Amino acid sequence: MPAGEDKQLISVHPSDLKFIFELEKQSFCDLKVVNNTENHVAFKVKTTSPKKYFVRPNTSVLQPGDSCLIRVTLQAQREYPPDMQCKDKFLLQSTIVPPNTDVDDLPADTFNKESSKDIRECKLKVQYISPSAQGNSGDEGSSDSNSTLQQLKEDRDAAVRKTLHLQQEVDLLKRRRQRRNDPGFSFKFAAIVGVIGIIVGLVLNLYLSK
């Protein structure tokens, strides 16, 4: 929200409209508006280039604390703007209305600044983004995902190595105990080996599941 436009009846997110610009293709941007008051608030969306954009809903009434999603669609364009710079702007007007007011019941002069009503305004700028710039952002996200996957693989390999090491120690201990030929001890040893095997299996499954 631009500086100096505090105490708004409604808040808008994001504060700018960003469209991925491709020739002969539509693009859209969603705005979320939230009623910050305990009153019913009506809003209207205006633009300096009404033929280029399709806004739905462009007018509505929000109940106290309620929110609404506005979809702004950029119509397919036949040529690129100079330097991909856009001078289009949007204006979101809002004003308090009586409770239970329906959007179809709004008077024609509801958003007329010349009336005695308190009308708040929020200006929104428009930015065009090239598909290549959008793709670069996706590459950064892909790099982060690959790094996370590599870390999981390293953790899994470490768990496998630790499991193999434990199995070797168990086999060595088993051979030593067999030399003693102690029947009473064999039962206890078998129980201990079984518990270790279960623990090792759980650890291995946990890392492999990642």
Side-chain angles (χ1 to χ4, degrees):
M1 184 177 302
E5 297 190 9
D6 54 350
K7 297 182 180 181
Q8 291 288 340
L9 301 176
I10 58 177
S11 57
V12 187
H13 306 281
S15 57
D16 293 331
L17 292 97
K18 297 181 180 180
F19 298 93
I20 300 176
F21 191 96
E22 295 184 82
L23 291 182
E24 304 296 339
K25 288 186 179 181
Q26 287 187 343
S27 181
F28 67 87
C29 177
D30 288 337
L31 295 174
K32 182 179 181 181
V33 294
V34 181
N35 183 354
N36 299 321
T37 74
E38 297 180 354
N39 303 297
H40 284 67
V41 175
F43 71 83
K44 184 179 182 65
V45 181
K46 299 180 179 180
T47 177
T48 56
S49 302
K51 294 184 178 181
K52 288 176 59 177
Y53 302 94
F54 184 75
V55 183
R56 285 293 180 272
N58 65 341
T59 306
S60 185
V61 177
L62 293 177
Q63 297 181 7
D66 198 7
S67 62
C68 175
L69 192 67
I70 303 173
R71 171 153 294 190
V72 182
T73 303
L74 170 65
Q75 303 298 327
Q77 302 296 303
R78 296 183 178 180
E79 58 183 15
Y80 289 102
D83 300 325
M84 286 292 288
Q85 299 297 316
C86 180
K87 296 182 179 180
D88 300 334
K89 294 181 180 180
F90 280 78
L91 179 67
L92 194 150
Q93 295 179 307
S94 59
T95 185
I96 296 176
V97 295
N100 302 321
T101 299
D102 189 79
V103 64
D104 295 329
D105 300 331
L106 293 174
D109 63 345
T110 299
F111 301 98
N112 189 345
K113 296 181 64 176
E114 296 179 357
S115 64
S116 59
K117 292 184 178 180
D118 180 17
I119 299 177
R120 309 293 177 88
E121 296 184 341
C122 177
K123 297 179 181 179
L124 305 173
K125 295 181 179 180
V126 177
Q127 296 182 27
Y128 289 158
I129 303 174
S130 64
S132 59
Q134 182 72 9
N136 292 336
S137 298
D139 293 340
E140 293 178 1
S142 176
S143 177
D144 293 338
S145 299
N146 292 336
S147 177
T148 302
L149 181 60
Q150 181 62 30
Q151 182 62 43
L152 290 175
K153 289 181 179 179
E154 292 177 358
D155 292 342
R156 181 199 61 187
D157 294 341
V160 171
R161 289 194 298 270
K162 185 175 182 180
T163 301
L164 293 176
H165 179 68
L166 289 175
Q167 288 179 343
Q168 291 175 356
E169 291 185 350
V170 169
D171 292 339
L172 179 60
L173 184 60
K174 184 177 180 180
R175 287 195 296 269
R176 290 179 179 177
R177 297 307 180 188
Q178 286 178 344
R179 294 174 184 173
R180 295 186 179 184
N181 195 21
D182 185 355
F185 180 80
S186 298
F187 177 77
K188 297 179 181 180
F189 177 73
I192 295 174
V193 171
V195 173
I196 294 176
I198 293 174
I199 296 175
V200 170
L202 291 175
V203 172
L204 182 59
N205 288 334
L206 176 62
Y207 277 93
L208 289 177
S209 65
K210 295 181 179 180

